[in-house]
Amino acid sequence: MTRIYEDDSLALHTDLYQINMAQTYWAEGLHERKAIFELYFRKLPFGNGYAIFAGLERMLQYLKDFKLSESDLSYLQNELNYNEDYIEFLRNLRFTGDVYSMREGELVFGNEPLVRVEAPIVEAQLVETALLNIVNYQTLIATKSSRIKQVVKDDNVAEFGSRRAHEMDAAIWGARSAIIGGLQSTSNVRAGKLFDIPVSGTHAHSMVEAFDTEYEAFHAYARQHKNCVFLVDTYNTLKIGVPTAIKVAKELGDSINFIGVRIDSGDITFLSKETRKMLDEAGFYDAKVFVSNDLDEYTILNLKAQGAKVDVWGIGTKLITAYDQPALGAVYKLVSFENENGEMEDTIKISGNAEKVTTPGKKDVYRIIDRATGKSQGDYITMSDEDPQMEERIKMFHPVHTFISKFVTNFDAVPLLTQVVAKGEITYTSPSVMEIQEYANNNLNLLWDEYKRSLNPEEYPVDLSQKCWDNKMRKIQEVREMVENFLQR
Ligand SMILES: Nc1ncnc2c1ncn2[C@@H]1O[C@H](COP(=O)(O)OP(=O)(O)OP(=O)(O)O)[C@@H](O)[C@H]1O
Ligand SMILES: O=P(O)(O)OC[C@H]1O[C@H](OP(=O)(O)OP(=O)(O)O)[C@H](O)[C@@H]1O
Ligand SMILES: O=C(O)c1cccnc1
């Protein structure tokens, strides 16, 4: 298909209503007023006790490159009929704001700002969709991966999902997120190349079927590849596959590195135990049993309980598509806006559902670490002019059920939001993906085990400071008065 408009920028990777709102701000002369938006999710995915933040690297790239191309502008003008003056305005638009963000690999929780964007409202509005798109997916997959890692413990896990991912972008950014969450490798070679992450792979049934026998197929593979994992379930795992793999490994001896065998169907517990026995009896104590086939943390937990003898788990579909919860649900809300006098005014969105009432004002998030245990007591959201690092004692209370409260002393308050963009310039250098993985791993040591179990974890506290709470109540009262005044008119 020949395209009329070249796909040469990501600036229109946004919802139409953003462009229409931007036009309204511009036409009304509000567009340069400063807005503060916060990006957060309300509910942890998969019923997990924590999430792993991912998406910052792509977000920074997107903001740095933000610029409507000539083809974007022609499309808006010719096909969607935006007027010439607005098109001229858009032509010169760049992202010039400040951004504060969680680091990738940070443990994050519901209702705390993960990203704070401070920019002229027109810019902050136009980037909403892309930022949510990036963070929602990558954080979801990193979290799913971490759940799997919690269950497999020290076993290796390879990410095999590219063929089932929701298109190509999801495959590669999903692979990166899977590594952040704790997996060892991906089968996606492009992800390996782009992100400098380990790639690994075995072979498929098609290669076995392309030869007359498994024996010939394994030999042919071994002639080209020093490292060999033979797929043993094409015809009959225990009667033909494993014995053939052992035979070929014995014949080739040290000329190959016989890493092990992969089982991709049947009863994994039974087959892996029998395979382990056969490998050990043949003297291949170090050869590993790989398994794959629609695995996720639930099946793996079950297989482990049954005593399956597995060394490496290959996981595709259920990880890369976040099969049991396909969306994270992060939102991007206006919390403060410059008024006509140049002062920032906090904003609020009211809802009948207490959890959906936004928390007004520019905020920061601190992790409150108990100095005695080194464990986290919870996260503490403050107005950005507060500094809990300077306080001896803080009161932490549940943001909805406020009677649940505690006083905390002898703590370190670790700020979680870092400035990553200043006046449109990127000020943050992303660590390598493997460093991010290590960071996520180390962060998990801050959590008590109750928050880390995959089934019904304890709810980790995310509390508001008194000042933040008072400010929210004040804004709610203001809105109430506004509604009453309106009704009396
Ligand atoms: N011992 C076991 N306990 C629980 N689940 C298992 C066990 N062994 C395998 N499974 C899982 O059960 C499912 C088996 O699915 P299914 O019967 O469709 O696979 P199969 O026998 O491999 O056939 P196919 O060739 O179609 O993949 C997979 O998700 C697999 O991971
Ligand atoms: O089951 P998943 O968790 O999604 O893991 C990836 C799956 O992809 C492959 O199967 P596929 O049937 O696509 O090809 P194959 O012929 O290589 O088995 C592989 O053998 C796994 O079963
Ligand atoms: O390398 C493998 O074994 C592999 C890769 C992708 C999908 N399934 C298996």
Side-chain angles (χ1 to χ4, degrees), residues 60 68 133 182 200 260 311 413:
L60 293 178
L68 280 84
N133 190 186
S200 72
D311 304 289

Side-chain angles (χ1 to χ4, degrees), residues 160 163 187 200-203 262:
F160 280 173
R163 61 192 59 202
S187 59
S200 72
T202 70
H203 66 81
R262 176 163 74 99

Side-chain angles (χ1 to χ4, degrees), residues 160-161 163-164 203-206 209 231 233 262 264 292-296 314-319:
F160 280 173
R163 61 192 59 202
R164 309 267 150 64
H203 66 81
H205 299 107
S206 52
E209 291 165 61
L231 176 62
D233 72 334
R262 176 163 74 99
D264 187 47
S292 48
N293 189 13
D294 256 335
L295 296 170
D296 62 10
I315 307 194
T317 314
K318 289 191 171 159
L319 166 61

